[in-house]
Structure formats: structure tokens, C-alpha cells
Amino acid sequence: MTHPGPDDGPHPGPPPARGLDLAPFRGLRYAAAHVGSLAAVTSPPYDVVVRPDGQRHLETADPYNVVRLILPDAETPADRHRQAARTLAAWRAAGVLTTDPQPAVYVYEQHDGEHLQRGVIGALRLTPPQDGVVLPHEDVMPGPVADRAALMRATRANLEPLLLAYRDGDATASLVDTTADGREPLLATTTEDGVRHRLWALTDPAEHAAIRADLGCRQALIADGHHRWATYRRLQADHPPGTAWDHGLVLLVDTARHPLRVRAIHRVLHHLPVGRALDAARPYFRVRPLPGYGLGTALGVLAEAAAGGTAFLLAGDTGDFYLLDRPDLARLDRWVPAGRPEAWRRLDATVLHSALLDHVWQVPDSPDSIGYLHTAESAVQQAGRHAGTAVLMHPVRESVVLDLARQGVMMPRKSTSFGPKPASGLVMRSLDLD
């Protein structure tokens, strides 16, 4: 029900008593002499890789692609985690991955067409939720948290940075921009999606101190990486204070300078054919067939419908699209849990999970039943291939996300996709070095 529009991005409320504390670390990076190209060893974040097709594509791009660490391939979870640890150790021993000689905070730039994003990568001190320093906005599932925790324990590494959004850190943002505009980068590469990536290392202790002073009264919103943040917190609790587990690898982007894109995450219902989904929904939603519409045009219809309320776009193996909108509001009031802010009760993701999935379609929220895809194209293709139903969503405004996060209200998991997301494999953090 919530729709994008003009939005200034996150405006943190009153500064927390204890703010962001970003520390330098000795980055673990690929040695260019040992790999075909830096682009060929990178990967999207682990939960964006479409398995198995995307995983196989990355594995064959280069024998040292980082997907072999973040999504190791073996029979059991324990075998996968051990394999990742062995692979990481072997690559370090062979010089494929090398450690930067000095602790650094890394400036990272992504240039995607007209969109320029810059931020800083460092080791962020982990804080409890009650401190209000890092604001999550989505629920997490215990399974992925347990899996990422086991992987981090086995490798003793943070292999991928989280994406955090903060605002109005002028000193840090100015340092980021002057670095990117005036210094030679450590590395520069263009990945196959056309995004250009550059990375710089800031090793001057005075610059580290300026960043810490600037960020020390600020809070950040988790834009991408809720499961990894929950993993960091779990592993911190499992270790005594004062260890490397008190920090986690993050990318911090000042969205006053570099606004993030907010996109939807789509669902694929593996075992529900689109015909059955439409028949079950008709008593509660208006169902409009869109015969002959292509994906882009159908998404435009979804955007228009979403401007007036809850709307979803369905597709299956027929090649046609169907718009669901104008729900029975009285029925929704009975199905959507009470006692939450009205903004949460109106979220499309809330209506989808509380009304359609739980009551109308009776589809359990489990990996066997529901897939989460970051592009509409891949969701439609997967639904068509498996005779399931793609449920295409409309994005949520960033201001709505932040407002709910400040209230401590969690959105349904996979409600948003912020980006551009940092590429995995450009810089990693070994906990044995901190």
C-alpha cells in the first residue's frame, strides 16, 4: 500500500548517546597477478545470487570467484562451511588473497549509469538494539542467521560488507569525495552488469580520527544485510568482550550526498499455479487480466494501481500478467494483526503475508514454498519454469522504512531492496588480523 515518491532519504532523529564507531582494519584482497580479472572474481551478495544458475555462472567465471567462499557447494551445511574455510586458507597460502600492510578505512565508489554511490568500508563496533545506533527494519529468519554464523565461525572472516545508510556526516562525506576525485585508486574494475567499481585505502591515523569523530554521534539504517547483522550480534554474544568479534564489516553511505535506490523484492510461490492463485483471490481482490502486456508495461500498471492502495502483479506459466488491487478492506482488517502502527498494517508486504499467504492461499513462509527474487525478470522466469506464481511487488518509500525502524517496528522480511549493493570480493576482513 505504500508507494515511492519524492523523498529526502533517512533523517536520523536525536543523536544517540553513543553513535557509530568505525575502525580501520587490514583488508584481505585479491592479488591481481593471480586472477584473470577483478571483475571475474566478484559476486553479488550471497542472498542475491540466483541459485543454482547464477551460482554456476559465477563459479565458472574464474576458479577463484568469491562465490566459492560465500556460497560453498557441498552435500551438507557442515561440509559447506568446512570447504569455505579450506578454500580461504588455500587461497591465502597461495597468495591469491593478500593482506594490506596497514590498517585502513576504505573509500568505495560504484558508478551505475547515471547513479553514483560513494561510501566508507570499515569495521563497525556492534551495539545492542536499545542503543539506537544501528536501526534494523526487517525481521530475520533463524535458518539463514545460523548458516551465516556457522560460515563466519569456520572462516573466521567477514566476507561481505553490510550496506548501512546514514545522513549528514559532512566531514566523512567530504573526505570520501576528495579521495575519489583526487587520488589514484587501489583498484578499478567494471563488472558484467556494467557497474564501475573503485576502491581507495585511507591509512592516515588523522583521517581515521576525523571519521570516528564525525560518525560518533550518528545512527544508521540497515539498508541491506539484516541477516548478517543478526549474525554479527550472535557471534559477538558467543565470544568474550574485547575480541575482533565486537566489530563487523560494513559499508556506510551518506544518503544526503548519495541517495540509495529502493526497490521491491518479489516472491515466487513454487507450488501454487497462477490459475489457482487467481481463483482463490477473486472473492477478496479485484483481478484484472492484462492480455498482451509485456513486463515493463505491466509494471507500469502496477505502479499506477499502487498509487491508490494495495496492489500486486501476478504471473505464471501462461505468459500473461494479472493485477490484484482494491482489496476487501473489512476482510483485511480482520486478517492483518492489530496493535501495530497503521503504516505497518498498510504495507503491501504485510497484506501479502497476513492476508494472501496466510489465509487466502495458505502458503507457508518456508524456502521450499516461497522464493525471494530481487528482479521481476528472474521472478517471472522462475515461476514460468516451475508452473508456480510470481507475485511482483511495488517499492516502499525509504521514509516509511526509517519511520518504522525508529519506532522499533519490524517490517516483514524481504520487504525492501536498497542499492546499489556492494560487490562481494573487493575487500574482506579476516578476524585473525584484528
Side-chain angles (χ1 to χ4, degrees):
M1 278 186 189
T2 320
H3 326 291
D7 188 8
D8 292 330
H11 290 273
R18 173 184 173 193
L20 300 167
D21 184 1
L22 193 71
F25 68 103
R26 294 176 62 198
L28 191 63
R29 297 190 297 111
Y30 281 99
H34 284 78
V35 298
S37 73
L38 287 173
V41 296
T42 64
S43 166
Y46 80 99
D47 58 340
V48 180
V49 176
V50 179
R51 291 177 272 188
D53 297 348
Q55 185 174 349
R56 296 288 179 266
H57 173 73
L58 292 165
E59 287 174 344
T60 57
D62 189 284
Y64 299 120
N65 190 284
V66 72
V67 78
R68 297 178 185 273
L69 301 178
I70 62 175
L71 287 176
D73 192 9
E75 288 296 322
T76 69
D79 288 341
R80 289 195 291 270
H81 304 143
R82 283 192 291 266
Q83 178 174 301
R86 289 194 298 267
T87 300
L88 178 60
W91 289 359
R92 293 179 69 176
V96 175
L97 290 171
T98 61
T99 305
D100 285 337
Q102 295 177 273
V105 171
Y106 295 84
V107 171
Y108 177 45
E109 176 188 273
Q110 294 160 279
H111 204 163
D112 181 10
E114 297 293 318
H115 190 88
L116 177 67
Q117 179 170 292
R118 290 171 173 169
V120 286
I121 296 175
L124 183 70
R125 180 174 292 280
L126 308 178
T127 52
Q130 61 268 24
D131 283 9
V133 176
V134 175
L135 303 176
H137 68 270
E138 287 185 358
D139 285 329
V140 297
M141 295 284 283
V145 173
D147 177 73
R148 291 296 100 180
L151 179 66
M152 288 187 202
R153 283 193 193 96
T155 58
R156 294 186 59 80
N158 299 154
L159 301 171
E160 307 178 89
L162 282 65
L163 175 60
L164 303 185
Y166 75 104
R167 197 168 177 85
D168 297 331
D170 291 337
T172 301
S174 295
L175 180 57
V176 166
D177 285 340
T178 56
T179 298
D181 292 334
R183 303 187 194 181
E184 285 297 313
L186 277 178
L187 63 87
T189 190
T190 301
T191 45
E192 66 177 5
D193 56 4
V195 179
R196 289 179 285 163
H197 307 260
R198 296 197 296 168
L199 190 77
W200 295 258
L202 303 181
T203 58
D204 185 344
E207 292 177 330
H208 300 166
I211 291 172
R212 292 179 102 155
D214 182 45
L215 298 179
C217 62
R218 308 193 188 283
Q219 63 184 173
L221 177 74
I222 299 178
D224 184 68
H226 283 82
H227 286 90
R228 281 168 283 161
W229 178 258
T231 299
Y232 288 168
R233 295 274 295 120
R234 172 183 289 191
L235 292 173
Q236 180 189 33
D238 290 345
H239 291 82
T243 71
W245 299 98
D246 285 338
H247 292 75
L249 185 64
V250 305
L251 165 64
L252 279 162
V253 174
D254 183 343
T255 56
R257 300 258 184 133
H258 302 287
L260 299 177
R261 293 171 175 163
V262 188
R263 292 175 174 161
I265 300 178
H266 311 288
R267 276 68 167 158
V268 175
L269 313 182
H270 300 307
H271 309 303
L272 181 66
V274 70
R276 280 173 42 200
L278 294 168
D279 289 343
R282 277 192 176 92
Y284 313 109
F285 284 78
R286 182 177 70 165
V287 176
R288 293 170 53 195
L290 304 176
Y293 281 56
L295 176 58
T297 309
L299 287 172
V301 174
L302 173 63
E304 291 177 6
T310 300
F312 307 100
L313 191 66
L314 270 57
D317 59 355
T318 65
D320 291 324
F321 294 95
Y322 304 86
L323 183 73
L324 268 62
D325 66 351
R326 300 187 183 178
D328 180 338
L329 297 179
R331 190 62 62 100
L332 290 189
D333 281 341
R334 291 199 295 272
W335 284 339
V336 175
R340 303 283 187 93
E342 194 61 22
W344 181 88
R345 300 186 80 244
R346 292 197 309 264
L347 289 170
D348 289 346
T350 300
V351 173
L352 173 63
H353 285 261
S354 298
L356 283 168
L357 293 177
D358 289 353
H359 289 89
V360 176
W361 294 330
Q362 298 182 3
V363 174
D365 191 0
S366 66
D368 180 62
S369 298
I370 303 178
Y372 291 84
L373 283 299
H374 285 73
T375 69
E377 293 84 355
S378 57
V380 171
Q381 290 170 5
Q382 193 171 111
R385 189 182 307 138
H386 300 293
T389 296
V391 182
L392 306 184
M393 311 282 288
H394 197 60
V396 182
R397 287 199 311 271
E398 187 176 346
S399 59
V400 173
V401 176
L402 183 61
D403 183 59
L404 290 172
R406 285 181 182 147
Q407 298 178 60
V409 177
M410 296 295 102
M411 297 167 63
R413 71 187 188 96
K414 302 296 184 182
S415 292
T416 60
S417 177
F418 285 87
K421 304 177 192 303
S424 300
L426 294 180
V427 62
M428 293 168 269
R429 173 178 175 250
S430 170
L431 277 76
D432 291 330
L433 299 173
D434 284 2

